[in-house]
Amino acid sequence: MENKITKYIFVTGGVVSSLGKGITAASIGRLLKARGYNVTIIKLDPYINVDPGTMSPFQHGEVYVTDDGAETDLDLGHYERFIDSSTGKSNNATTGQIYYNVIMKERRGDFLGKTVQVIPHITDEIKRRILAVGESAAGYDVVLIEVGGTVGDIESLPFLEAIRQFSLDQGHQHVMNIHLTLVPYLRMSGEIKTKPTQHSVMKLREIGLQTDMLICRSQVPVDEGARDKIALFCSLPPEMVIEALDVESIYEVPLEFEKAGVGDKVCDRLGLATSKPDLTRWKHFVNKVKNPSGFVRIAICGKYTELHDSYKSIIEAFVHAGVENDAKVELKWLDSEEIEQKMAETYLADVSGLLVPGGFGERGIEGKIRAIGYARENKMPFLGICLGLQCAVIEFAGNICRLDKANSTEFDATTPHPVIDLMETQVKITDKGGTMRLGAYECVLDQDSKAFQAYKTLTINERHRHRYELNNQYREALAEKGLKVVGFNPRTNLAEILELEDHPWFVGVQFHPELKSRVLNAHPLFREFVRAAIEYKSVRQELEFHEEIYENH
């Protein structure tokens, strides 16, 4: 029996950063998967950090965590959501990881007698990482590889050289290069400019790479003349120059690519059998995103709200949950430090739900606690994630259980009531990178809980990223007043989910549910949270209506 040959697609970017290479790779992956192919995606990041776990969210956006405990680039979230397939440690490689592995080999003596150099040792390690995924037991038909940064960046050169070598090793017929560029529009002259794209492709050629398909981001349509000019100067057939206009929702991108024939062209280039893709459910989803029947406003109270990418997976989880509730979820961003200066009601009176996300450090904690107190007192739906759960425990312990100065030892090491404390397994750890409780862990649910009603199963697995936990010594005191543990880890007895009695929907989770939300399968907790917010809005509007009638009479 002939061995299956894996195909590889490299996605690079030029002109400017943040053009959407991740969405481009994920969209192409979606089109191939819709044709029945087994697909995965790798992100190659040129920074020297081993992973983004020690980087500020303001620098890098959210840290995406996989089932196997890898702290990765947020683009892996796009990959998982678009192709509906889990990624892992092998799907993200940084310059830091590459050099670290090579240096460890050198220290072991693997290169005795040799001078260790960028070529061939670093480039060989890059190729090894890619091949390890392509030749894995998962049996992938296609592996897409997104290269971070832009062509011309000095730190990207080893990756691009590795791609050049990889193409020679595997054969032209098994490797495709797709380049994403910006075609700017000059409003004053009323014309688009192709020169930046020409120069970007020229830079690729200098490295020894020829692009097979150009995807041109533009604010205005790229006319036939501009397309032909780009094709001529970039040595491409005109049909391989793809226009990529701005769209209302990122989930429209696969559909726009399909209209442009990207799926079939990729298959033709790689010698893959073409077939009609099944995008029916995806089209239905996009239609619901653009044409919802309802509307609800939910507040996100966090400390990194200046950069919305810090909460990218949460944002997308709300899009998915909104579709399943046939409603647009408008997010109101609240800086928790600002709430410390004013009454929480000033910021929350016009919303129908509150989400407090994860985070680290003492800054803004008091604002989060005040916001949670408002949601508790006013029966407003609340979802606390990681630090959000911990803040809910601190608020409840102090204001309801009357535990004076109750706090987390993360914020007050001398608190008389450490309701949140450092996990036992974390006490002796001093290194910061990759040492938290990371990845998927089992959780057993109380059958008489809102969590069970959402999941419809007694055992779940969710992804974590934390060092601190609920102090089990206070579980009974909290439960007596109504804040109960309804989900726990069966091996460690760590509290995973807390719910408040006599409240329409007040749920705190130690894990990060947003990381498992999918385009065609919204996360159960987000789905039910949005549903509760819609009900809260409806009840409030009805009360306001009756109050208005009463006042008029």
Side-chain angles (χ1 to χ4, degrees):
M1 181 177 177
E2 186 177 349
N3 291 330
K4 181 175 67 175
I5 299 177
T6 303
K7 307 292 185 175
Y8 298 88
I9 302 172
F10 291 93
V11 179
T12 56
V15 184
V16 296
S17 60
S18 301
L19 278 180
K21 294 190 301 298
I23 297 297
T24 296
S27 297
I28 294 171
R30 178 74 253 171
L31 296 183
L32 292 171
K33 186 157 187 179
R35 285 167 165 78
Y37 290 107
N38 186 11
V39 179
T40 193
I41 312 178
I42 300 172
K43 176 69 182 287
L44 300 179
D45 271 312
Y47 53 74
I48 297 177
N49 303 66
V50 172
D51 58 48
T54 57
M55 296 166 67
S56 166
F58 290 122
Q59 288 280 321
H60 197 77
E62 76 171 0
V63 175
Y64 193 80
V65 178
T66 59
D67 282 339
D68 61 3
E71 293 178 294
T72 72
D73 183 79
L74 61 79
D75 275 319
L76 268 72
H78 291 311
Y79 305 162
E80 290 198 357
R81 288 187 285 270
F82 274 64
I83 66 175
D84 194 20
S85 180
S86 294
T87 56
K89 292 179 180 179
S90 60
N91 291 85
N92 196 188
T94 68
T95 292
Q97 290 175 15
I98 300 296
Y99 274 81
Y100 183 83
N101 287 348
V102 171
I103 290 170
M104 288 300 99
K105 289 179 180 179
E106 188 275 334
R107 292 291 80 189
R108 287 198 307 266
D110 292 8
F111 304 122
L112 282 181
K114 297 179 181 178
T115 301
V116 181
Q117 297 176 294
V118 173
I119 303 172
H121 301 99
I122 296 300
T123 51
D124 281 352
E125 179 65 15
I126 295 170
K127 292 188 292 181
R128 185 196 68 77
R129 292 287 295 256
I130 297 169
L131 279 174
V133 175
E135 297 175 353
S136 68
Y140 295 116
D141 299 304
V142 182
V143 178
L144 289 106
I145 305 98
E146 176 198 348
V147 182
T150 58
V151 171
D153 296 343
I154 191 169
E155 58 265 34
S156 296
L157 288 175
F159 289 110
L160 297 175
E161 169 60 20
I163 294 172
R164 185 189 71 80
Q165 295 177 20
F166 191 90
S167 299
L168 294 174
D169 296 342
Q170 299 301 309
H172 177 73
Q173 70 274 29
H174 302 309
V175 180
M176 182 176 185
N177 295 317
I178 297 177
H179 193 53
L180 178 69
T181 69
L182 176 69
V183 179
Y185 173 70
L186 300 185
R187 196 169 300 278
M188 292 297 292
S189 61
E191 58 183 348
I192 60 175
K193 291 296 182 181
T194 65
K195 192 68 72 176
T197 293
Q198 294 178 42
H199 279 283
S200 185
V201 172
M202 188 187 305
K203 197 68 180 177
L204 272 177
R205 283 180 181 162
E206 290 175 3
I207 299 166
L209 292 174
Q210 171 62 40
T211 186
D212 298 302
M213 176 182 285
L214 265 176
I215 295 181
C216 302
R217 288 292 307 274
S218 179
Q219 293 179 318
V220 299
V222 179
D223 59 48
E224 186 177 352
R227 183 182 289 109
D228 289 345
K229 185 176 181 181
I230 291 171
L232 175 64
F233 282 94
C234 297
S235 301
L236 281 173
E239 62 269 19
M240 297 301 273
V241 178
I242 309 298
E243 172 188 270
L245 296 173
D246 295 343
V247 288
E248 185 179 334
S249 166
I250 59 172
Y251 300 112
E252 291 181 74
V253 177
L255 302 181
E256 292 302 310
F257 279 4
E258 184 60 26
K259 289 179 185 176
V262 170
D264 286 343
K265 290 170 184 177
V266 167
C267 288
D268 287 343
R269 167 64 180 76
L270 291 172
L272 295 169
T274 57
S275 60
K276 187 176 181 180
D278 184 2
L279 293 167
T280 304
R281 292 184 63 204
W282 196 277
K283 291 177 181 177
H284 176 74
F285 174 87
V286 170
N287 181 57
K288 285 290 186 181
V289 170
K290 298 176 70 174
N291 303 290
S293 298
F295 165 85
V296 67
R297 182 182 294 113
I298 292 175
I300 295 181
C301 179
K303 60 172 70 178
Y304 313 121
T305 53
E306 291 178 27
L307 180 65
H308 294 178
D309 272 359
S310 300
Y311 305 109
K312 188 61 178 175
S313 291
I314 289 175
I315 294 170
E316 300 310 320
F318 273 124
V319 175
H320 310 157
V323 166
E324 293 207 12
N325 284 281
D326 196 15
K328 174 180 173 57
V329 180
E330 179 185 292
L331 300 178
K332 181 176 182 179
W333 296 93
L334 303 179
D335 186 331
S336 57
E337 286 187 282
E338 291 185 11
I339 297 180
E340 294 178 351
Q341 311 302 321
K342 297 180 181 180
M343 296 289 290
E345 183 178 7
T346 306
Y347 300 94
L348 296 172
D350 63 342
V351 302
S352 301
L354 169 69
L355 183 143
V356 175
F360 299 91
E362 188 177 2
R363 182 175 63 84
I365 293 301
E366 183 57 36
K368 292 188 176 189
I369 290 172
R370 289 186 185 182
I372 293 168
Y374 177 90
R376 177 181 56 77
E377 293 169 357
N378 290 274
K379 306 291 185 182
M380 176 186 288
F382 165 76
L383 177 58
I385 296 175
C386 197
L387 180 61
L389 171 143
Q390 297 172 11
C391 288
V393 169
I394 295 169
E395 190 278 330
F396 193 83
N399 294 328
I400 302 301
C401 298
R402 301 299 178 186
L403 299 176
D404 187 42
K405 297 181 181 179
N407 211 331
S408 166
T409 53
E410 181 182 7
F411 314 132
D412 182 3
T414 62
T415 174
H417 293 292
V419 291
I420 304 295
D421 202 2
L422 189 66
M423 299 173 64
E424 289 184 14
T425 54
Q426 293 284 318
V427 172
K428 296 182 180 180
I429 292 176
T430 56
D431 288 350
K432 298 298 183 184
T435 57
M436 284 184 275
R437 186 182 185 222
L438 293 166
Y441 288 87
E442 187 179 12
C443 173
V444 176
L445 303 180
D446 183 338
Q447 195 162 350
D448 185 24
S449 67
K450 290 181 172 60
F452 176 78
Q453 293 171 15
Y455 284 99
K456 299 290 192 298
T457 184
L458 285 174
T459 303
I460 60 173
N461 279 273
E462 292 284 4
R463 301 176 186 178
H464 297 67
R465 185 174 185 254
H466 64 105
R467 298 185 192 277
Y468 291 81
E469 60 170 326
L470 172 68
N471 187 337
N472 280 336
Q473 294 179 17
Y474 290 91
R475 278 169 73 159
E476 188 175 337
L478 295 168
E480 285 178 358
K481 295 294 184 179
L483 187 60
K484 296 184 176 182
V485 174
V486 299
F488 67 94
N489 181 278
R491 295 188 63 183
T492 62
N493 201 33
L494 296 181
E496 299 280 14
I497 308 176
L498 280 80
E499 293 182 3
L500 181 60
E501 290 183 331
D502 300 323
H503 191 287
W505 212 90
F506 191 101
V507 178
V509 297
Q510 186 57 70
F511 49 82
H512 288 265
E514 69 273 19
L515 301 179
K516 284 199 169 184
S517 189
R518 299 289 183 264
V519 174
L520 302 179
N521 188 18
H523 193 281
L525 291 180
F526 274 87
R527 182 192 66 228
E528 295 308 309
F529 176 45
V530 170
R531 182 172 297 163
I534 292 171
E535 291 175 0
Y536 175 87
K537 175 187 175 185
S538 178
V539 170
R540 187 173 61 180
Q541 287 178 335
E542 188 173 345
L543 287 173
E544 290 173 353
F545 174 73
H546 288 299
E547 286 174 2
E548 184 178 348
I549 292 177
Y550 178 79
E551 290 172 0
N552 289 338
H553 281 282

